[in-house]
Amino acid sequence: MKILEQKIQKDGRILGADVLKVDSFLNHQIDPELMQAIGLEFAALFANEKIDKILTVESSGIAPAVFAGLALHVPVVFARKNKSLTLPENVWTADVYSFTKQTTNHIMIDHRFLSANENVLIIDDFLANGQAAEGLLKIINAAEANVVGVGIVIEKTFQKGRQILDEHGVRVESLARIKSFENGQVIFL
Ligand code: 5GP
């Protein structure tokens, strides 16, 4: 997606060897016009699929997921990151190791918001090592719902997320695919 790549080139900041900061338009401040274009792009990519619901993880997945939900006219559910030790009842849960924060989050979705046989599209901001998407897949399986595909705003192809999702046999669509960071520059695939 050209305008997304241009935005990443202009405003993205590379941190260390493998992290891209995009907090000026996606992860802290949000660019609504870009998010709207992203939502329309996901809707076009998955136009031939039957989608009942979008799932994402708080908080950075919510903006692109809501705009995709708006374009597809379906509700959006975000998995909450549970910080307390006691789990509420009637929730689907998964453990997700966060690559950027180096901690494990327990994510959860209330049974009321995900039912058997629902067709679910996963949306997230980044695909790095695939842990967040895999956690959502686990929850979708537990709920006996169906996964339609995974829509990613920014994929880093040098990490193993794509391979993990391929092993699950899931369709993955990424709007920007980063091959490497070289001399402070983002190189797209
Ligand atoms: P994964 O579970 O695929 O390893 O990583 C997905 C999550 O980690 C994303 O939802 C995102 O919040 C965070 N993440 C992974 N890599 C990056 C990155 O390079 N930059 C930012 N800002 N977040 C990242």
Side-chain angles (χ1 to χ4, degrees), residues 10-125:
K10 184 167 158 279
D11 294 336
R13 289 182 298 132
I14 298 163
L15 276 194
D18 47 18
V19 172
L20 180 72
K21 285 282 267 187
V22 287
D23 53 1
S24 68
F25 61 92
L26 179 57
N27 289 154
H28 193 4
Q29 177 169 256
I30 292 171
D31 179 335
E33 279 162 8
L34 180 64
M35 289 308 125
Q36 186 175 40
I38 283 171
L40 289 169
E41 188 78 9
F42 282 133
L45 285 166
F46 290 99
N48 295 330
E49 306 281 356
K50 183 179 181 329
I51 296 167
D52 300 314
K53 185 163 279 184
I54 290 173
L55 285 196
T56 188
V57 182
E58 71 173 350
S59 55
S60 298
I62 295 176
V66 166
F67 280 92
L70 184 65
L72 287 161
H73 307 286
V74 295
V76 176
V77 178
F78 63 90
R80 289 170 169 265
K81 290 175 181 161
N82 182 52
K83 289 175 190 79
S84 72
L85 289 174
T86 54
L87 268 182
E89 284 176 25
N90 304 321
V91 291
W92 310 110
T93 62
D95 287 345
V96 173
Y97 180 75
S98 164
F99 151 79
T100 43
K101 301 204 174 79
Q102 307 207 340
T103 51
T104 297
N105 284 307
H106 310 285
I107 62 167
M108 57 180 201
I109 291 179
D110 194 295
H111 287 182
R112 288 180 298 148
F113 303 129
L114 183 61
S115 308
N117 304 318
E118 279 188 310
N119 299 303
V120 177
L121 173 64
I122 294 172
I123 297 280
D124 208 1
D125 60 338

